[in-house]
Amino acid sequence: MSETLPAGLRAYRLLSAAAAPLALLLLAHRLRRGKELRARLSERRGQTGIARPQGSLVWLHGASVGELASVLPLIERIAARGVNMLVTTGTVTSGGLAEQRLPAGVIHQFLPLDVPRFVRRFLEHWQPDLALFVESDLWPNMMIETSARNVPMILVNGRLSERSFERWRYLQDTIASLLRRFDLCLARTPGDAGRLVGLGAPRVITSGNLKLDVPAPPADSVELAVLADALAGRPVIAAASTHAGEEDIVIAAHARLRKNYPRLLTLIAPRHPERGAGVVAIAKAAGLQAAQRSRGEPPEAKTDIYVADTVGELGLLYRLAPIVFIGGSLVRHGGQNPIEPAKLGAAILHGPHVWNFAELYDALDAAHGAEPVSDADRLTAGLAAWLGDPAGRARVADVARTTVESLGGALDRTLQSLEPYLVELQLRRRADYA
């Protein structure tokens, strides 16, 4: 695609090119904070020691753990067709999930920083034949350079919240220039589709939310048995994917609840595992006993707060806790994904800030498959109500599971939309080997 870039994108291109030396300082800073892997820093500069596989290559990019987890079934289905795949992500935790869960033969790399020469180096090496971008992680230089190479680009599980839509309206020319580069946008919901069209996307289909079709997260059977034995006979609640400010609220709720439930254990899984030590400090400051899973500390009889600051173990928590508060919702983050706990039979509580999954939370709340809470007091009351009413929370959990199951089907619809592109790649592959 060739077009004159709007002024905002031209300025971005110039500034990001000039900032290349500073990018190295940024990577060093992120490395010190545990946000990069020393052995793989070169990937963030577009370099790699892995050879490009022969034949056609599908490149899929998802920003972090949630995006990657949502498209694992899609990756499996594409790879099963014999198509070479490259998957990129942007966080250390997503790299860990890729190592655990990607099918054999699928290559993982960290996405290069959005510096023109890093991006060009990446694309010149991998030479993708089809690019799939997941949800909303759209980097201007990457999109511009990819489209300049005439690589078909498709937005998968496209997401655009009302808040983001309103912000982008002030940069209409900029976002329209980027969205026009997509051959196709597959949106999660009609609302997402309408907002993408409103910002200039030329071809949009509502395919549904891929996260609804992801199997329930796995759990190591040995670890599950060990933890279930350690927690036997104790009332258990969980707070999953929490953000800064929410752990204080959950820990304060625990302190109030243990007056009636002295053996209560609260499991807390911070959204960013590197914050685990900080969560332990909050618990100890509240006079509670805390253990930290990343340090190999087991929950003991005296443990009040068990901080699950590891990657890929939410499946354990959801199988152990019949009541789960979903984080990112009492602070203004937009809410995290409620699908996994719903599939594993947990009764769900959430705060008011859930615009990242607005339609899904609306469906759950309307069916009484989840309970919204507006503040710390309401959270404490909601937890207390379900701790004292196992039958009631089981009914809520059953409704949540049924609601989530009824909304599925996005994987098949997505594959149907991708079919012409995949068939073309397979035909090209056969021609190459003829």
Side-chain angles (χ1 to χ4, degrees):
M1 177 179 179
S2 177
E3 68 170 60
T4 301
L5 295 178
L9 283 177
R10 292 200 304 273
Y12 177 87
R13 298 267 287 168
L14 290 171
L15 289 172
S16 57
L22 297 178
L24 303 181
L25 296 177
L26 172 64
L27 288 174
H29 175 67
R30 286 176 57 83
L31 181 64
R32 289 193 296 272
R33 296 181 61 199
K35 292 182 176 293
E36 300 288 347
L37 299 178
R38 184 179 299 278
R40 299 183 65 177
L41 272 182
S42 61
E43 295 172 26
R44 302 293 261 157
R45 301 190 297 272
Q47 299 169 318
T48 182
I50 299 175
R52 184 199 188 279
Q54 291 186 343
S56 299
L57 179 70
V58 174
W59 163 39
L60 180 146
H61 173 66
S64 190
V65 168
E67 290 83 357
L68 178 58
S70 72
V71 294
L72 282 171
L74 179 64
I75 293 169
E76 291 167 359
R77 295 275 286 271
I78 295 175
R81 300 173 66 141
V83 177
N84 295 315
M85 289 202 72
L86 166 70
V87 172
T88 57
T89 60
T91 65
V92 170
T93 51
S94 62
L97 181 64
E99 183 177 349
Q100 296 171 13
R101 304 277 297 279
L102 283 181
V106 173
I107 300 168
H108 174 263
Q109 296 278 279
F110 288 112
L111 189 75
L113 297 181
D114 203 45
V115 172
R117 63 187 174 99
F118 297 169
V119 169
R120 286 194 289 269
R121 185 184 292 155
F122 170 86
L123 291 170
E124 286 163 6
H125 176 81
W126 291 109
Q127 298 180 34
D129 298 286
L130 174 64
L132 309 178
F133 294 83
V134 182
E135 292 198 10
S136 59
D137 198 47
L138 310 179
W139 291 96
N141 285 323
M142 186 62 77
M143 295 185 66
I144 291 167
E145 295 288 347
T146 301
S147 65
R149 288 162 171 76
N150 296 314
V151 178
M153 299 194 302
I154 299 175
L155 182 64
V156 173
N157 217 38
R159 172 170 68 89
L160 185 68
S161 70
E162 187 65 38
R163 287 163 58 92
S164 295
F165 174 73
E166 293 298 331
R167 286 197 295 265
W168 275 117
R169 287 178 67 185
Y170 293 102
L171 296 168
Q172 181 78 37
D173 290 345
T174 298
I175 189 61
S177 177
L178 294 177
L179 290 177
R180 282 197 297 269
R181 297 168 194 277
F182 282 115
D183 279 49
L184 176 63
C185 293
L186 302 177
R188 297 184 318 168
T189 69
D192 291 308
R195 289 186 285 271
L196 286 166
V197 170
L199 291 180
R203 186 179 171 213
V204 181
I205 297 173
T206 301
S207 56
N209 190 344
L210 284 170
K211 293 182 177 180
L212 289 159
D213 289 346
V214 175
D220 182 277
S221 58
V222 174
E223 291 294 330
L224 180 60
V226 169
L227 284 173
D229 184 62
L231 305 184
R234 298 186 65 176
V236 179
I237 59 177
S241 300
T242 53
H243 291 251
E246 291 181 317
E247 294 93 2
D248 305 75
I249 295 171
V250 171
I251 288 168
H254 176 101
R256 293 170 63 181
L257 290 167
R258 73 171 183 162
K259 296 173 184 176
N260 292 323
Y261 300 94
R263 301 190 64 213
L264 178 67
L265 178 74
T266 296
L267 308 171
I268 299 180
R271 173 66 173 171
H272 302 290
E274 65 270 17
R275 295 183 52 249
V279 179
V280 170
I282 294 169
K284 290 182 177 179
L288 301 173
Q289 296 290 323
Q292 190 173 351
R293 185 161 178 78
S294 66
R295 294 172 59 90
E297 299 169 354
E300 299 176 343
K302 63 182 180 180
T303 304
D304 297 298
I305 307 294
Y306 190 51
V307 180
D309 54 341
T310 52
V311 176
E313 291 198 315
L314 283 177
L316 276 176
L317 268 67
Y318 297 149
R319 286 172 170 85
L320 293 166
I323 306 169
V324 175
F325 163 71
I326 303 297
S329 60
L330 280 174
V331 295
R332 300 187 68 84
H333 176 78
Q336 301 296 157
N337 178 10
I339 298 169
E340 294 177 345
K343 288 190 173 185
L344 287 172
I348 296 169
L349 293 161
H350 65 86
H353 307 299
V354 291
W355 57 80
N356 288 336
F357 298 89
E359 291 85 356
L360 179 54
Y361 277 107
D362 285 346
L364 287 170
D365 292 347
H368 302 290
E371 183 72 26
V373 293
S374 56
D375 53 32
D377 289 340
R378 296 281 185 170
L379 175 63
T380 305
L383 292 168
W386 282 346
L387 282 169
D389 184 11
R393 75 185 184 223
R395 285 193 297 272
V396 170
D398 286 342
V399 170
R401 185 189 297 110
T402 302
T403 301
V404 165
E405 289 174 353
S406 71
L407 295 172
L411 178 58
D412 287 339
R413 289 189 290 271
T414 298
L415 284 164
Q416 184 178 10
S417 295
L418 296 179
E419 184 68 14
Y421 299 90
L422 298 175
V423 167
E424 181 179 348
L425 292 184
Q426 290 179 300
L427 290 174
R428 190 185 309 170
R429 180 171 178 263
R430 290 173 188 168
D432 291 340
Y433 286 95

